[in-house]
Every structure is written in structure tokens, then in C-alpha cells.
Amino acid sequence: MLKNKQIGFIGGGAMAEALIRGILNAGLVVPSQILVSDVSVERLDYLRGTFTILTTTDSQETARQSDILFLTVKPQVINGVIDTIAPVVSKSTVLVTVAAGVTISTYQNKMPGVPIIRVMPNTPVAVGEGMSAMALGKYATTEVSKPVAQVFSSVGQVVTVSEDTMDAVTGLSGSGPAYAFVLIDALTDAGVRVGFSRQTAVLLAAQTLLGAAKMVLATGEHPAKLRDMVTSPGGTAITGVHILEQNGVRAALIDAVVAATNRSREMGRR
């Protein structure tokens, strides 16, 4: 699907690196099909040395040459990038943006007729277990989006959503790794409290959450059903779950997602 496609990245930070690694590991393209531009020569040297891809400091050159162009820069600089590349982006180029809070219309107004796809990935793309949500612009058909979905599938899982749910995506999966890290940290402290070394406690906690998540995805069962399989009558697990419910852990997680979603909406209105 990506055969003979030139893939460009404007911005060579952690997100671009994760996507490049996923693309190459999956064998979707060869290194010579990837061109990255960045303001940092040192960063470009690193990416070129690590992946043997093409690099340049000229973002317009990257935009001109790309069949699929990823904007992997921070939201605060995105307007300047759009202004720079808009005159040279072809209507046959698929533009993919991962800038949080920046709407498709922001790009479309400057680049009419260009297929725009807005994506919210999360940080586990760095280890190939990311969750990415795509919203398609007016000119981005399902067929056009397939190669982009293939790229993000190389670093995790992908869903297509309507753009009006992107703030909710940010609140749930975009911010979600932070909630998971808090849980792992708390479970680790608990493990230390009951006698384990911190190293052992981290392993027990992190692998337990990883295994539980894999069970949900692999079985397709409702999480509550899987919980019931663990909580035998009068046993240890139901005793622990009771304490979690008493302390409002479930409500706190729901409130966290709602608050993060609302914060994303506020940031998008700036």
C-alpha cells in the first residue's frame, strides 16, 4: 500500500522517531522513501545515522517531495509551519497532523482541497503499543486514509473517530498512560510496603497491568466479566476491590478523563 510512496516528516522529535522505527520494522517502506526535516542539525544527524533515512533542514523541500506528509511538531509552532508549507503542498499529498488541539479547519483554510487527517496518538507508540485515533477531513476518503492507518498500526492500534470526539480521545487514551503510570507507581509502593524490593514490585505491578490489558483485548470480554473471574467468594481479590470502591478509585478515574477532556477543549479554543 505504501509501495513507491515518499513519506515526509516535518519535525524530527520523539513521535517522528517512533513512527519511523515502526514503519521500517514493519517493512512498509525502505529508508530512502523517508525524508525528515527539522531545525536541529544534530537531531537530523541522529535520525540519519540511526535509520539511514534522508534528512533536510528545508521543510518546503520535504513538503514538495512527500506523498504522505506528517506534521510532527509542537502545537505552539504549527501555525508557522502551515504558513511555510502551504504554498508548496500538492492536492495529491495526504497531510497528517498529530498536533493536539489544532482542528482540521485550521489546515484546510490554508490548504484548500488537500486531504487532511488529524491523529491523536499516545506515548506508548514509542514501544509499539500505542493507541491512535484518526479523524478524516473533507477530502480524506477512507481509501486515502488506509496507508496512514497502516503507518499507525505499525506502532499499535488505530481507530477512526469523528473530529468532535478528539478532545475525548485526548482525555482517555491521549492522557491515559499518565493514569496507568500513577497506578503502577501506587501498586509498586504497595509492593514495597508488603515486603518486596522496589525492582521486584515494579515488575509485579507493570506486568500485571500489561497482562490484564492483553486479556481484555485478546478475549473481547467485558472487563467486569474478567474481574469476576478473579474475584472468588470471600477471597483476596474481592477484598481488595472492596477497598478500591470504598475509596472512590473508579469515580476518580472517570473524573480524571472528564477533566482532561474539558481541559483539551479549553486549550483548543485558545
Side-chain angles (χ1 to χ4, degrees):
M1 196 175 295
L2 289 167
K3 186 179 180 181
N4 300 323
K5 297 284 188 183
Q6 189 70 31
I7 299 177
F9 290 86
I10 295 180
M15 182 57 65
E17 181 178 351
L19 293 175
I20 292 166
R21 180 173 285 109
I23 291 168
L24 294 177
N25 286 346
L28 300 181
V29 300
V30 296
S32 61
Q33 290 175 255
I34 299 177
L35 174 63
V36 181
S37 61
D38 197 277
V39 295
S40 169
V41 174
E42 291 77 13
R43 183 62 182 171
L44 293 177
D45 289 343
Y46 165 77
L47 292 171
R48 187 171 58 253
T50 302
F51 300 112
T52 65
I53 58 175
L54 306 175
T55 61
T56 177
T57 56
D58 187 345
S59 59
Q60 285 194 335
E61 180 184 351
T62 302
R64 284 192 196 95
Q65 294 190 24
S66 300
D67 298 304
I68 302 175
L69 179 62
F70 290 85
L71 301 187
T72 45
V73 297
K74 300 293 185 184
Q76 55 266 34
V77 302
I78 196 68
N79 286 327
V81 171
I82 294 172
D83 289 340
T84 298
I85 67 171
V88 299
V89 174
S90 167
K91 290 183 180 179
S92 64
T93 297
V94 180
L95 186 74
V96 184
T97 171
V98 301
V102 184
T103 63
I104 290 172
S105 63
T106 300
Y107 305 90
Q108 208 76 83
N109 290 340
K110 296 290 182 71
M111 291 172 277
V114 174
I116 310 291
I117 299 178
R118 179 181 171 190
V119 185
M120 171 53 68
N122 62 13
T123 56
V125 296
V127 293
E129 292 293 349
M131 184 68 243
S132 301
M134 302 193 314
L136 309 185
K138 179 179 179 181
Y139 303 100
T141 64
T142 301
E143 193 63 29
V144 162
S145 73
K146 286 181 179 178
V148 177
Q150 194 176 21
V151 168
F152 284 96
S153 292
S154 74
V155 290
Q157 297 209 40
V158 186
V159 294
T160 301
V161 300
S162 60
E163 189 180 19
D164 61 6
T165 66
M166 288 299 268
D167 290 313
V169 169
T170 302
L172 180 54
S173 64
S175 304
Y179 316 148
F181 296 143
V182 169
L183 290 174
I184 292 170
D185 191 36
L187 289 171
T188 298
D189 282 348
V192 173
R193 176 66 180 82
V194 297
F196 294 111
S197 69
R198 185 160 294 276
Q199 182 179 15
T200 298
V202 167
L203 177 60
L204 286 166
Q207 181 61 36
T208 297
L209 262 66
L210 174 62
K214 283 194 170 183
M215 280 190 72
V216 172
L217 295 176
T219 66
E221 296 285 2
H222 193 286
K225 182 176 180 179
L226 295 174
R227 180 203 60 208
D228 288 347
M229 292 168 58
V230 183
T231 51
S232 55
T236 58
I238 192 61
T239 301
V241 169
H242 182 203
I243 296 299
L244 294 177
E245 295 291 0
Q246 279 187 327
N247 286 275
V249 171
R250 181 194 300 267
L253 288 170
I254 294 171
D255 288 347
V257 172
V258 172
T261 298
N262 290 336
R263 178 58 179 155
S264 180
R265 290 192 183 110
E266 291 171 3
M267 293 172 68
R269 286 195 290 266
R270 288 182 176 180

